[in-house]
Amino acid sequence: MVARETTADSLLDVEQTWADRLAYWGRFWWRDRGGVLGMLMFLVVVFSAIFSPAISPYDPLQQNLRDSKMPPAWYEEGRWDHPFGTDNLGRDIFSRIVYGTRVSLTVGFFGVLIAGMLGLVMGAIAGYIGGRVDSIIMGVVNLVLSLPYLLFVVFIAAVLGRSLINVILIFGITDSPIFARVTRGEVLRLRESGFVESAVSAGATWPRIIFDHILPNLIGPLITLATFEMSRMIFYEAGLGFLGLSVPPTVPSWGNMLAAGRKYLTSSPWIATFPGLAIMFTSLGMNLLGDWLRDVLDPRLRRTRK
Amino acid sequence: MYRYFLAKIGQSVLLLFGVIVLVFFMVRLTGDPASLMMSRNASPEQMEAFRERMGFNRPVYVQFADFFTGALVGDFGNSLHFKSPALPLVLERLPATVQLAVVGLLIAMFIGIPLGLLGGFQPGSAIDSIGRGLALLGQSIPNFWLALIMILFFAVRLGWFPSFGRDRWDSVIMPAFVLGLPTLGQLVRLTRSAVLEIRSADFIRTAYSKGLEPRVIYAKHVFRNVAIPLVSVIGVQFGYMLGGSIYIESIFAWPGMGQLLEQAIGWRDFPLVQAIAVFTSVVVLALNIFTDLAYAIIDPRIRYGS
């Protein structure tokens, strides 16, 4: 009894030093290092998109043919006022990469927003009502999911023509079936779960069941899915740009930059290298973030850790 | 078993019907298929003559019935560019695409599955980190960019592989590797998590406690169960490779269906695009049926289940 008291007292007495706190936070960060890194990478991209004019040293559209195809600063002929060099029209590649985050994030964010909302509505109706409505909705969902996705996206983009709105709509609509499928699965599972059953037997009205019991439980899996899908959309947007099917050629986007750089691959490889690295950076960050969110938000899918 | 497959085939026929409807309406999304397929400086008389020739001036339901009955017997009309029936042009390109996808899949399987198995047996080891790193990279590297970088290094700088075409036996290696990399990553992840899950299953503990040799346990109990999820993923990924090789084929000038699709879009040759879309979907749907068949053979629960 005495011993226990002294231990408790001495524990309380110990003042937390900065080293202890550092160690504590260090352990915390280390355990979730993937997620922290992913979050930081994503924040860098978001920051670049918001503060593009302040970060980029040049106007991304400003041409300067005298200084065209200048290599990055660490090359012998490079200059630090164009850190990543210039493209075939003498535009500053660093500034264009920074502005490119705007196109990528706009497409990713609004694409996921549209896909998520459409999918949530379709999946919730299919899962909650069931029966014939369910088979019709899921029939359409399965049709779209079993198609060669890239081929059809390229096809629609070629028909509709190059514009930001078109690209967002294409991704928002073609990607909604994935959200619908996940939502439906979750709704079916939740509908059978004990707490919904007890809410029903306690006489809760259906809006209350949906808004208080089902929707809050859907948020976790949907946010995780949204992260992965946003990364995929950024990826596919660049791919469409590469084929000349995304935003108009004058807009600084990573896909357009890759398409332009492809022609100068052997003579000026940096024109195509940097936009590719930017896509990879964003995608890597979002995948790390998504993996982490999946672990944190969905205990059922928790990764086996050793 | 037979009922299960009849149902699957029935579903696929319905999906195919959906694909034909989709492909028919996709070229009419902008309202006027003639202006989509003709060059912008065509005269009104030329446009009218084109509409007449293509039958675009008939009522939509007549056009649809015509397209649908044609599609069922493989008649998608003439390619506008080649002025010859579209489907044979697509079939001509099939072997190259299949070759690319098969080699890509083999590369992904021969690297991905062993890495996943080793990672699953020794989580946290160096080989596990390599596997997981590769999986993350495979997910995050844009394949169109990786293709450019590989050409730059392995073809232009080092001269190890030809940078384009399909003339030499080793032409296939670079495009197949790039095409297979995302699948490789998925296989590592999936194999690893399947091994981790099965390793701690009750029947494995039973096998150990009755004194079976680890070698036998792995061969008879672990591998067989790991194979089940792999089959379905490999099937899906193979379909994705057949329909998703457009960037890789266009960058490496690989004479397959993906390159044809890119060219057809450039020529505004939409009858040819339609033929490619329907044909690729048929191949992917057929592949899904085969995957389900293989799945049922491996996993008795599906064969005997409802």
Side-chain angles (χ1 to χ4, degrees), chain B residues 10-306:
Chain B
Q11 274 170 21
S12 303
V13 171
L14 269 179
L15 289 181
L16 190 59
F17 177 77
V19 168
I20 296 175
V21 174
L22 209 63
V23 163
F24 173 80
F25 283 105
M26 266 162 73
V27 295
R28 287 163 178 80
L29 275 177
T30 52
D32 184 11
S35 60
L36 179 71
M37 298 181 201
M38 289 292 275
S39 82
R40 283 192 184 82
N41 39 26
S43 70
E45 293 78 35
Q46 283 172 317
M47 288 290 251
E48 211 38 62
F50 182 75
R51 282 199 190 96
E52 181 67 40
R53 186 157 62 84
M54 299 293 286
F56 290 151
N57 46 7
R58 297 172 301 165
V60 172
Y61 59 88
V62 177
Q63 291 182 45
F64 179 71
D66 199 32
F67 182 79
F68 189 76
T69 47
L72 287 185
V73 293
D75 175 13
F76 295 92
N78 279 359
S79 151
L80 301 177
H81 180 83
F82 294 102
K83 315 243 185 303
S84 67
L87 191 64
L89 291 167
V90 182
L91 290 176
E92 218 171 79
R93 302 291 194 109
L94 182 66
T97 296
V98 171
Q99 184 200 359
L100 188 62
V102 168
V103 178
L105 190 65
L106 289 177
I107 292 176
M109 284 167 66
F110 276 105
I111 302 177
I113 297 178
L115 272 178
L117 288 173
L118 290 172
F121 292 143
Q122 291 169 319
S125 63
I127 194 121
D128 184 34
S129 308
I130 294 173
R132 288 170 67 187
L134 208 58
L136 198 61
L137 275 184
Q139 235 179 357
S140 310
I141 293 188
N143 51 13
F144 38 92
W145 178 72
L146 182 66
L148 295 179
I149 298 298
M150 284 187 73
I151 289 180
L152 193 61
F153 276 93
F154 295 109
V156 179
R157 295 266 160 90
L158 298 172
W160 288 356
F161 298 105
S163 56
F164 62 86
R166 195 190 168 217
D167 314 320
R168 286 166 44 179
W169 70 269
D170 56 350
S171 300
V172 72
I173 293 178
M174 281 207 298
F177 177 78
V178 177
L179 186 64
L181 188 63
T183 304
L184 194 163
Q186 265 218 320
L187 288 178
V188 173
R189 283 187 159 215
L190 193 78
T191 313
R192 179 178 185 273
S193 63
V195 170
L196 283 177
E197 195 182 308
I198 289 160
R199 243 173 34 141
S200 53
D202 289 340
F203 64 89
I204 297 293
R205 207 172 330 130
T206 311
Y208 272 115
S209 59
K210 72 181 182 186
L212 276 184
E213 271 185 71
R215 201 161 38 91
V216 181
I217 294 174
Y218 282 131
K220 287 207 164 166
H221 296 278
V222 177
F223 289 150
R224 279 186 75 148
N225 283 289
V226 169
I228 293 171
L230 286 184
V231 167
S232 72
V233 167
I234 287 172
V236 170
Q237 290 293 314
F238 190 59
Y240 146 82
M241 286 176 166
L242 285 174
S245 54
I246 172 165
Y247 305 125
I248 290 151
E249 289 191 5
S250 95
I251 293 169
F252 287 101
W254 187 261
M257 299 192 300
Q259 194 202 28
L260 188 66
L261 176 67
E262 197 222 1
Q263 292 168 333
I265 283 173
W267 296 323
R268 308 187 142 253
D269 188 351
F270 280 92
L272 189 52
V273 175
Q274 286 180 312
I276 297 172
V278 174
F279 180 72
T280 311
S281 304
V282 170
V283 174
V284 171
L285 289 177
L287 206 65
N288 287 347
I289 296 180
F290 280 118
T291 308
D292 284 331
L293 188 71
Y295 207 79
I297 289 171
I298 296 183
D299 192 347
R301 280 171 301 190
I302 292 177
R303 228 180 309 158
Y304 300 116
S306 50

